[in-house]
Amino acid sequence: MVALIDPEMCINCGKCYMTCNDTGYQAITFDPETHLPKVLDDSCTGCTLCYSVCPIIECIRMVPRKDLYQPKRGIELGSDWHPRLPDVQLRRKQAEGTNALSCQDGHLTVE
Ligand code: SF4
Ligand code: SF4
């Protein structure tokens, strides 16, 4: 999952930006002119902290991510590491027929 912010509902309080920065993900940018936050999908872990602190109900929603999340831990993850999707997302992608996916021993491969 990733966070999706509705700019029409946002009151520019900055809480989402502060909480994501403080927890170490830095997945939200804050426009210095419009004061609108924006989620960087590649960096968002789907932790839901921004969703939890936003004072406007449904301004932030958690939605399925389009691509596989690749953790950035600052260390090499090893040659045998592969991104994985929960079963429900794997089944949805297979139903959509978007990419050829295979899953062996819980490891997902995008072909
Ligand atoms: S879900 Fe977590 S990582 Fe993603 S934008 Fe919100 S606080 Fe940042
Ligand atoms: S916490 Fe909600 S209202 Fe506040 S800046 Fe973020 S998205 Fe906008």
Side-chain angles (χ1 to χ4, degrees):
M1 303 295 274
V2 290
L4 179 67
I5 297 172
D6 183 344
E8 298 291 330
M9 297 179 74
C10 178
I11 60 169
N12 316 106
C13 70
K15 287 185 177 181
C16 58
Y17 170 75
M18 286 186 282
T19 195
C20 190
N21 261 336
D22 285 351
T23 55
Y25 302 119
Q26 290 92 41
I28 297 180
T29 59
F30 208 67
D31 189 300
E33 291 186 11
T34 64
H35 290 186
L36 279 173
K38 184 175 186 315
V39 176
L40 306 173
D41 285 4
D42 283 352
S43 301
C44 176
T45 64
C47 72
T48 74
L49 277 175
C50 57
Y51 171 85
S52 303
V53 301
C54 180
I56 307 300
I57 295 172
E58 303 219 334
C59 177
I60 298 180
R61 290 181 298 127
M62 301 306 298
V63 299
R65 64 181 313 122
K66 295 189 181 87
D67 301 309
L68 300 174
Y69 175 64
Q70 306 228 10
K72 300 177 186 68
R73 300 200 173 101
I75 56 172
E76 183 56 50
L77 293 172
S79 58
D80 60 342
W81 183 88
H82 302 284
R84 290 193 289 180
L85 278 180
D87 284 350
V88 64
Q89 282 179 274
L90 180 60
R91 283 197 297 273
R92 185 181 300 132
K93 277 196 172 288
Q94 286 172 330
E96 288 169 355
T98 47
N99 288 315
L101 300 174
S102 61
C103 188
Q104 293 181 336
D105 302 328
H107 288 132
L108 177 74
T109 305
V110 182
E111 297 162 355

